[in-house]
Amino acid sequence: VQGLSICCLITLAITELFATSDYAIYFAVSAFILRQPLMHMAHPSSNELMMNYVGERNQELISALSSSLWSASWFISAKIFEWLRLLKFHYYEIFLITAVLYIFGVILYAVIIRQFEKMKKNAKKATSILRRRVKVADADEDDEALRIDQEWDTSNWKHEQIEAGLDYLFYIFVDETHP
């Protein structure tokens, strides 16, 4: 969805080069109308990813930081736009720079999504390699206590299992709702 929005932004930028053509205004208006909703369609899923990635304990802090950064980005982008206009950049050049930055952001999100999905998958794998032993030990003559010992047997692990184990530990410390 954001890729389509970036295409609309590029279309909007290029229409400045064809401003003398009769049809350029139709492309510009169409791209302008479609770009914003397409870009914002991804916000719910990106917010969900962000909240799942940071874990339940950090959600309030990350939500506050995200809101602050979103507000700050408007101020910063306005200052950058002003600076670029003072340097005699054309609108289409500024829009193309923005499109490149959006492409970079979408690629980073794709990397984060893959990393998160891999971490979740490995965390589920790690539960199968986690060995639990239950022992009944005599505390006193008449008193029996149940002791649960959870340990990792890493002596014969492959590289993939070690990675899964590390992801599982990360998942435990970041997200309290781990499997």
Side-chain angles (χ1 to χ4, degrees):
V1 175
Q2 287 184 332
L4 292 172
S5 175
I6 293 169
C7 290
C8 288
L9 183 62
I10 292 169
T11 301
L12 193 58
I14 292 174
T15 56
E16 184 181 355
L17 298 174
F18 302 102
T20 57
S21 300
D22 293 336
Y23 60 87
I25 188 71
Y26 299 112
F27 282 107
V29 169
S30 299
F32 179 78
I33 290 171
L34 292 174
R35 191 194 78 77
Q36 194 72 15
L38 286 171
M39 187 55 77
H40 287 289
M41 285 173 93
H43 280 246
S45 59
S46 63
N47 282 341
E48 182 183 355
L49 172 70
M50 179 176 53
M51 291 301 141
N52 287 332
Y53 195 80
V54 299
E56 205 171 296
R57 286 180 275 171
N58 300 316
Q59 286 181 353
E60 292 92 9
L61 176 65
I62 294 303
S63 179
L65 283 172
S66 177
S67 295
S68 299
L69 289 173
W70 180 252
S71 298
S73 71
W74 286 98
F75 173 77
I76 292 168
S77 64
K79 290 298 178 186
I80 292 172
F81 177 79
E82 178 185 13
W83 177 67
L84 291 173
R85 288 299 293 156
L86 288 173
L87 293 174
K88 306 289 185 209
F89 276 74
H90 296 281
Y91 284 105
Y92 78 91
E93 294 170 321
I94 296 170
F95 278 35
L96 290 176
I97 290 169
T98 304
V100 168
L101 292 174
Y102 270 127
I103 290 168
F104 182 68
V106 167
I107 290 169
L108 286 178
Y109 255 106
V111 168
I112 289 171
I113 290 168
R114 282 196 186 114
Q115 193 177 47
F116 184 72
E117 291 299 321
K118 183 180 176 186
M119 183 183 75
K120 277 180 33 179
K121 181 179 160 189
N122 284 344
K124 287 180 182 176
K125 273 191 220 174
T127 58
S128 67
I129 58 177
L130 184 64
R131 188 177 73 201
R132 292 180 175 90
R133 293 182 307 175
V134 179
K135 293 182 179 178
V136 176
D138 292 329
D140 290 328
E141 288 182 20
D142 298 327
D143 190 41
E144 290 188 39
L146 182 66
R147 192 177 98 225
I148 298 176
D149 182 24
Q150 186 173 349
E151 71 177 39
W152 295 87
D153 181 15
T154 60
S155 60
N156 57 356
W157 281 15
K158 297 176 186 164
H159 176 73
E160 179 182 302
Q161 291 171 314
I162 292 171
E163 189 176 304
L166 291 173
D167 283 344
Y168 181 75
L169 290 173
F170 178 76
Y171 201 64
I172 287 172
F173 288 108
V174 171
D175 187 4
E176 293 174 346
T177 61
H178 63 279

